[in-house]
Amino acid sequence: MSGRYGTSPGTARGAADFLVVGGGIAGAAAGYFLARHGRVVLLEAERSPGLHATGRSAALFSEYFGNPTVRALTIAARGFYTAPPDGFTTAPLLTPRGVLALETPGTAAQFEAAKVSGATAPQPVVELDEERALDLCPALLPGAFGRALYKPGACDVDVDATHQGFLRGLRAAGGSVVTGARVHALRRDAGEWQVSTAVGEFAAPVVVNAAGAWADELARLARSAGVRALGLVPRRRTAALARTPDGADASSWPMVSDVADTFYAKPESGGLLLSPVDDTPEPPGDIRARDLDVATAVHRFEQVSTLRLRHVGHIWAGLRTSTPDDTPVIGTDPRAPGFCWLAGLGGYGIQTAPAAGALLAALATGNAPPPALAALVPGLTPARDHGPDREEP
């Protein structure tokens, strides 16, 4: 494909208009929207995209989750999820779930804060008494909690269908996905970014850093071009799938959590997906779950439940990479022409991906951002965190 950035037929295999580094949900979304403007090559370090975070997500879409900037991105993404482009998927991407957040002992102030925050969501939170909460989730233990907040707009997300839809759309527009392409050198030369990987050399005038937990490591490779690391922190999040006892059918229950966010239990695959909502800093890598974290998740749920979960099967952990202010970084780097960031999405990557990808594509190509997102741009720019104090000596 001949793109607006000048890639011409017959050039080297690695030449492109845009190089996207990272094949998780962020990189896939960026590549999908950028493919409308030129040839995209997506470089994924692993054998398959989405191995460390996207494929290990709890898969919840929640407009009640995150700070105001994250929530605005999520709200802007709902339209894509509810009415995706023709050919993007053959199944619904969102399924109603709802979340029941409990006021447990000592969390009255947090309950009130969540109630105020949730009142501004497109589908506002509803305060419930114990009786009504038990109607929604009969497994709750009477007396173990006080009030409850119901978040009716929260939905399950088909993460795989979304991720594959982005990748499929990228390829359909003439782009390509290269796996096993871990980047080991990155430099800018004669107006193009030259990227050396384990499977060959690639070049493009624009490179997008969507490398997730490795985003700061990629930035350090481009230090000679003026790029600086932003102080991103990968954090471990643990999950476990437990079988419900005595044939209890949890499929219609909402996700259950406490307002202090110390646990959640979400119906999944005929059982319950549990997490202690751990947020432990970890170096980038293939993260493994720890038995103590799994036991903590089970214990915290059992404190508010009549169920005793004795059969915990599959356990895993993934990485959620956050900025110091827990707001994603989206946009062009002010110190390095053609270097773009789509990083630090934390636990919000799935729910914000359509909006974040579209915004990144607009900023990377010099086009006007979607109207619903234009006001967010100053708060998302790399410049807000960018500086020598974030870089290692």
Side-chain angles (χ1 to χ4, degrees):
M1 172 184 294
S2 180
R4 61 174 290 181
Y5 288 88
T7 301
S8 59
T11 55
R13 167 182 174 270
D17 296 306
F18 308 97
L19 294 175
V20 177
V21 181
I25 196 72
Y32 174 85
F33 288 103
L34 284 170
R36 303 172 182 181
H37 303 279
R39 182 170 182 254
V40 174
V41 174
L42 186 150
L43 304 174
E44 167 56 46
E46 306 294 350
R47 295 186 305 274
S48 60
L51 179 64
H52 298 287
T54 299
R56 307 183 191 194
S57 168
L60 188 76
F61 178 93
S62 173
E63 290 148 325
Y64 315 90
F65 184 37
N67 62 32
T69 300
V70 169
R71 291 174 63 184
L73 285 168
T74 307
I75 290 168
R78 181 181 277 271
F80 186 99
Y81 273 120
T82 56
D86 289 344
F88 188 87
T89 180
T90 58
L93 298 177
L94 296 185
T95 304
R97 170 60 59 194
V99 171
L100 199 57
L102 308 177
E103 179 197 31
T104 50
T107 63
Q110 288 157 300
F111 184 93
E112 292 299 334
K115 183 178 176 180
V116 170
S117 175
T120 63
Q123 298 183 61
V125 296
V126 180
E127 182 176 343
L128 305 178
D129 59 17
E130 182 182 273
E131 181 179 2
R132 180 64 182 127
L134 287 166
D135 287 341
L136 290 175
C137 182
L140 293 177
L141 178 65
F145 62 96
R147 298 169 294 173
L149 283 180
Y150 182 57
K151 304 176 181 181
C155 296
D156 292 341
V157 184
D158 190 329
V159 176
D160 185 62
T162 303
H163 190 212
Q164 293 304 319
F166 284 137
L167 295 175
R168 188 166 50 249
L170 182 164
R171 294 185 180 103
S176 58
V177 177
V178 183
T179 58
R182 186 172 299 278
V183 175
H184 54 76
L186 177 60
R187 69 187 189 281
R188 187 160 175 85
D189 182 31
E192 287 208 331
W193 288 95
Q194 310 291 328
V195 182
S196 300
T197 79
V199 296
E201 304 291 319
F202 299 85
V206 176
V207 64
V208 177
N209 183 355
W214 288 264
D216 266 355
E217 291 191 3
L218 185 72
R220 293 185 183 102
L221 292 178
R223 189 172 185 178
S224 64
V227 180
R228 296 292 182 266
L230 301 185
L232 302 175
V233 180
R235 299 178 185 276
R236 184 178 72 246
R237 176 58 54 89
T238 302
L241 191 60
R243 193 170 72 202
T244 53
D246 303 322
D249 181 7
S251 61
S252 64
W253 299 349
M255 175 173 158
V256 175
S257 67
D258 63 340
V259 293
D261 286 329
T262 68
F263 79 91
Y264 66 72
K266 177 176 175 289
E268 181 81 24
S269 303
L272 288 172
L273 178 65
L274 303 170
S275 177
V277 196
D278 48 332
D279 208 31
T280 308
E282 293 273 6
D286 189 14
I287 302 302
R288 303 296 182 184
R290 301 184 181 182
D291 290 343
L292 178 60
D293 291 329
V294 175
T296 298
V298 172
H299 172 72
R300 288 174 179 171
F301 175 68
E302 289 185 343
Q303 292 293 102
V304 299
S305 171
T306 59
L307 300 181
R308 293 298 171 261
L309 303 177
R310 298 293 178 254
H311 302 284
V312 178
H314 184 44
I315 66 173
W316 69 96
L319 288 173
R320 302 149 49 97
T321 302
S322 302
T323 61
D325 62 4
D326 207 31
T327 299
V329 179
I330 305 174
T332 56
D333 194 300
R335 299 190 187 190
F339 191 94
C340 301
W341 292 79
L342 182 54
L345 273 66
Y348 321 116
I350 304 299
Q351 65 182 45
T352 63
L359 179 57
L360 181 281
L363 298 174
T365 57
N367 291 310
L373 300 176
L376 301 178
V377 172
L380 294 164
T381 176
R384 73 176 199 278
D385 286 331
H386 203 91
D389 57 317
R390 296 294 182 192
E391 186 59 273
E392 294 179 354

